[in-house]
Amino acid sequence: MVVDIINPYAVAVTQFDEAAERLGLSRSMRNILRAPKRELIVNFPVRLDNGDVQMYTGYRVQHNINRGPAKGGIRFSPEVSLDEVRALAMWMTWKCAVVDIPFGGAKGGVICDPHQMSRGELERLSRRYATEISILMGPNSDIPAPDMNTNPQIMAWMMDTYSMHQGYSVPATITGKPLAIGGSEGRLDATARGVQVVTKAAMRHLDMTPENSSVVIQGFGNVGGITARLLHESGCKVIGLSDISGGVYNPRGIDVPMAMRFSREHGSLRGLPGTEPVTNRELLELPCDILIPAALENQLTKENAGRVQARLVVEAANGPTNVEGDRILNENGIMVVPDILANAGGVTVSYFEWVQDLQHFFWSENEINQRLEAIMTRAFNAVMAKAVAQDTHLRMGAYLLAVSRVAEATELRGIYP
């Protein structure tokens, strides 16, 4: 069977073009906003534990910085590509704009398999990559954060590396750090908590109640796993879960805390007691009220979108629905809360961390969660209002809101010289 390889940057540009057309942006403005501002490709050596030296390739892309410093995560994966990083940087621009925080969009990545590396090798790779991209990094220019296969420890190494170059500690140059060196309360749960907030807002709009709603979540990492826990605590019935090993299903409901313990103890969800196995593809097509793709890009496509049975899809992952899949879901009357809104909780609390580091004054977890809920609720309501006013779906509503904000900043700043 031949599988179409979908270029994520092509998807991102197509989504932008549709919004630009609706907004009536000038050809000049479209040309500016379509293209990344900077693309840095670095090839660097890392000494392995056995004494060999291996070359690695990394990227850092800044899409647009007209609304503030570049902001975006760093991922370590064998699948990292320049076009993937370009797409993610563009989505970060819109994501920051849709929740109205003063950042532009960036993204970074290294082509590697961190699961095959020792802790020492991972530290040397992280520090060398940080050194290579340090020409862009800084609390007022480009602020990285964790993403796929990176974590607070890796952010700590990168922050320390940058600080060593400066000769003093610069905690505000990285977010997603451990609490002991300037991290923020609530950061680890932030993306999932934002997903929960917009899911509940969308449920209210659809007159759905938690106790009568079933949920399927693809992905059981930091975002998917915590989202499952939060929705379970809210009263929703989680009936399907999956990780890289496959999915598990129980139409009567899954004990999410037990699933989390089982996953930690066994390394995967496979064999979870009281469930039946399903593939990750089958999981997306299960009968449910709410479907939350929280794994990778391009999961809902023209091949399977027509078989999605949920009333509501909430995109916890980046780019889980491609253009054709999106069209099919909309034609079938399924509400889709787009990624640039749904998973913006992470960058919102990263913004809180940056602000706290700059002012050297820190907030409680309760304050963080209250501020996060206020911003995510305000953003959902603004997107819904825009979608209703323009008689369109939520993704286009989010893009119209975000692109117009970035275009306004670009127009006001003008072109230098």
Side-chain angles (χ1 to χ4, degrees), residues 114-144:
H115 302 298
Q116 302 300 316
M117 303 177 74
S118 71
R119 178 183 171 90
E121 290 168 343
L122 201 55
E123 178 175 358
R124 292 191 290 275
L125 179 134
S126 300
R127 288 183 180 277
R128 182 58 187 255
Y129 171 73
T131 299
E132 297 289 343
I133 68 166
S134 63
I135 56 174
L136 299 181
M137 282 169 59
N140 298 308
S141 56
D142 189 331
I143 306 138

Side-chain angles (χ1 to χ4, degrees), residues 181-405:
I181 54 171
S184 175
E185 296 280 1
R187 178 61 186 88
L188 285 176
D189 290 4
T191 302
R193 196 168 291 279
V195 172
Q196 180 206 31
V197 170
V198 298
T199 299
K200 290 170 72 175
M203 290 170 67
R204 287 192 293 271
H205 184 80
L206 295 172
D207 294 323
M208 297 166 64
T209 58
E211 57 271 17
N212 294 314
S213 299
S214 58
V215 183
V216 168
I217 301 176
Q218 183 199 42
F220 202 60
N222 186 52
V223 177
I226 297 174
T227 297
R229 173 175 62 80
L230 292 172
L231 290 176
H232 176 77
E233 291 171 356
S234 298
C236 293
K237 182 168 67 173
V238 177
I239 63 171
L241 296 168
S242 74
D243 57 23
I244 196 169
S245 69
V248 293
Y249 173 54
N250 182 344
R252 295 180 300 279
I254 295 171
D255 184 334
V256 174
M258 184 186 77
M260 298 183 84
R261 289 194 300 272
F262 184 90
S263 178
R264 283 195 300 269
E265 291 168 4
H266 296 84
S268 76
L269 289 167
R270 182 182 306 205
L272 178 67
T275 65
E276 58 184 91
V278 293
T279 67
N280 263 306
R281 281 294 174 187
E282 290 169 340
L283 185 96
L284 298 171
E285 301 168 14
L286 291 173
C288 64
D289 297 304
I290 304 166
L291 174 63
I292 302 179
L296 298 171
E297 300 97 345
N298 298 319
Q299 299 301 296
L300 298 173
T301 69
K302 65 180 180 181
E303 305 299 330
N304 64 354
R307 295 191 293 275
V308 170
Q309 300 183 60
R311 292 179 62 195
L312 171 64
V313 173
V314 182
E315 295 184 333
N318 289 312
T321 310
N322 74 4
V323 175
E324 279 298 304
D326 204 34
R327 179 184 59 77
I328 293 167
L329 293 175
N330 288 318
E331 287 176 354
N332 290 345
I334 298 170
M335 176 184 283
V336 179
V337 182
D339 49 0
I340 62 170
L341 169 61
N343 65 33
V347 74
T348 301
V349 177
S350 278
Y351 165 60
F352 296 164
E353 181 176 337
W354 177 71
V355 169
Q356 292 170 91
D357 284 335
L358 288 175
Q359 65 183 5
H360 307 290
F361 181 79
F362 290 82
W363 311 330
S364 69
E365 185 170 2
N366 187 51
E367 287 177 292
I368 296 288
N369 291 340
Q370 286 180 345
R371 292 171 192 263
L372 172 62
E373 182 166 1
I375 285 178
M376 295 298 295
T377 302
R378 181 188 69 193
F380 179 87
N381 291 338
V383 167
M384 179 61 74
K386 179 66 73 172
V388 170
Q390 296 295 320
D391 190 25
T392 187
H393 48 80
L394 289 183
R395 188 183 311 281
M396 184 53 64
Y399 269 79
L400 293 174
L401 192 66
V403 172
S404 63
R405 285 172 174 169

